[in-house]
Amino acid sequence: FPVTIVANIDDKKSLEFAILENIQRSDLNGIEEALGYDNLVKKFGYSQETLSKILGKSRSHITNTLRLAGLPEEIQKMIADGLLTSGHARCLVNVPDNIKLAKIIVNKNLSVRQAEFLVKKEQVFGTLKKLNHLITTLMNIETFIIQSI
């Protein structure tokens, strides 16, 4: 026979339990999971360590999943729509032009490993472009100084 537990709980506790139950479903996509964790952290003050223990997931899993909640809405929608996996999205966290990169990943149907390589390549080329701009600026200053003498 099923066991029923009756407890007097307020609406806040009821919502908290509902979120905890919902994020343990197996059919959640990465963004649904991330937003559920984010809700528990922000609304109910759960620490990542506490979530890890309650949900039986590693703290690094909780941390990495929470990062997805900080991605732009356009990327979150790509995850929700199944165009990007959580693995793809994790490499786009805190990356400039991540929406542009996400579109490339989707359009070229890149694997997670290929997506990680693309992001690293873009970061290197971005740094090289900045250095090239800095060198050009310094050369212009040098030319200006020489002409002023």
Side-chain angles (χ1 to χ4, degrees), residues 48-97:
Q48 293 176 16
E49 189 64 36
T50 301
L51 278 178
S52 169
K53 288 177 184 170
I54 290 172
L55 299 172
K57 307 228 180 205
S58 70
R59 190 176 169 287
S60 63
H61 172 80
I62 302 292
T63 302
N64 287 330
T65 303
L66 272 168
R67 288 184 179 127
L68 301 180
L71 286 166
E73 284 186 32
E74 193 169 346
I75 295 176
Q76 289 185 19
K77 184 169 177 2
M78 289 178 192
I79 299 166
D81 292 345
L83 299 173
L84 285 176
T85 67
S86 298
H88 288 107
R90 269 192 291 278
C91 70
L92 296 169
V93 173
N94 296 325
V95 174
D97 295 328

